[in-house]
């Protein structure tokens, strides 16, 4: 990953975020909120916004970027869900050290074996589809007429690649109601919680060691060499209805898992 020069002044921060935000809107058709989230995450990952840096006030950001205060607050909240910033009354918003993961990262955390640093998502390719196929997700979600599949090929720090697949009842989240670009650089669980107006509750998690097959390697753009952790995790809604079934494929020779 190319590191960019760090910027510190409020004026330079506002200019850089506005430029990046407008590029995302023009190229990908994002809403202002989505584009601001992506611009912030990319600026933090690239080093443009360094750990410890205090961002301009929410009011200043809104005025400089030409967006509403609510747009700024929502985007900042989503970036905070990723553990990249901390918002605190009286101290504003500060950029966090990306090598430490916050407690709102569920199911498991990954640390690079060589460096010991936390795994961070840098970019991802997202595919959204629907299926009526049956599989292990049926034990959790039940026999639904149709399922929504959110498939992600994730590229992270140290060029580590992870495959992730989330499956939901299509009656809860129809595939046609989701746009891949709207999910970029986000904590997918919290995005769905906000969309549905619900709170998720953790369910079961399991880990097995396996060799990845040709289909999975192609599907998630993963290397064929080395063993993989296969992690399966389930969640419920606060009223105990099944929420989603998630499977992840993680290179076992490059990371340690923390539950």
């Amino acid at each position: 990953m190319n590191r960019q020069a760090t910027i510190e002044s409020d004026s330079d921060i506002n200019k850089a975020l506005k430029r990046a935000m407008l590029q995302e809107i023009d190229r990908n058709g994002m809403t202002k909120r989505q584009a601001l989230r992506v611009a912030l995450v990319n600026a933090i990952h690239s080093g443009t916004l360094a750990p410890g840096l205090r961002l301009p006030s929410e009011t200043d950001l809104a005025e400089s970027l030409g967006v509403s205060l609510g747009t700024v607050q929502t985007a900042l909240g989503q970036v905070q869900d990723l553990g990249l910033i901390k918002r605190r009354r009286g101290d504003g918003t500060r950029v966090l050290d990306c090598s430490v993961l916050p407690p709102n990262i569920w199911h498991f955390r990954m640390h690079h074996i060589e460096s010991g640093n936390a795994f961070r998502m840098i970019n991802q390719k997202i595919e959204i589809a629907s299926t009526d196929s049956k599989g292990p997700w049926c034990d959790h979600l039940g026999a639904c007429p149709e399922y929504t599949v959110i498939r992600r090929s994730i590229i992270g720090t140290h060029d580590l690649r992870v495959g992730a697949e989330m499956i939901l009842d299509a009656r809860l989240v129809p595939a046609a109601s989701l746009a891949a670009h709207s999910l970029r650089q986000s904590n997918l669980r919290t995005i769905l919680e906000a969309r549905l107006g619900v709170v998720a509750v953790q369910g079961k998690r399991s880990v097995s060691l396996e060799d990845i097959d040709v289909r999975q390697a192609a599907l998630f753009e993963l290397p064929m060499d080395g063993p993989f952790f296969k992690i399966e995790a389930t969640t419920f809604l606060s009223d105990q209805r099944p929420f989603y079934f998630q499977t992840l494929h993680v290179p076992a020779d490059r990371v340690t898992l923390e539950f």
Side-chain angles (χ1 to χ4, degrees), residues 7-21:
I7 55 177
E8 296 183 354
S9 74
D10 284 3
S11 176
D12 286 343
I13 292 170
N14 288 333
K15 288 178 182 178
L17 290 176
K18 186 170 185 177
R19 182 168 57 251
M21 185 183 76

Side-chain angles (χ1 to χ4, degrees), residues 88-101:
R88 186 166 60 186
R89 187 181 300 274
D91 190 44
T93 300
R94 290 187 181 273
V95 178
L96 294 178
D97 180 357
C98 292
S99 65
V100 180
L101 288 175

Side-chain angles (χ1 to χ4, degrees), residues 51-96:
L53 177 70
R54 181 159 56 189
L55 299 183
S57 70
E58 293 177 359
T59 301
D60 187 9
L61 281 170
E63 292 177 353
S64 299
L65 300 178
V67 300
S68 70
L69 182 60
T71 292
V72 169
Q73 292 173 334
T74 300
L76 289 176
Q78 292 173 348
V79 177
Q80 182 170 247
D81 286 338
L82 290 170
L84 297 177
I85 60 174
K86 183 174 183 179
R87 303 162 72 198
R88 186 166 60 186
R89 187 181 300 274
D91 190 44
T93 300
R94 290 187 181 273
V95 178
L96 294 178

Side-chain angles (χ1 to χ4, degrees), residues 104-117:
N104 63 340
I105 301 297
W106 274 17
H107 304 312
F108 70 97
R109 306 176 188 192
M110 294 186 291
H111 296 269
H112 295 284
I113 291 176
E114 292 185 2
S115 67
N117 291 336

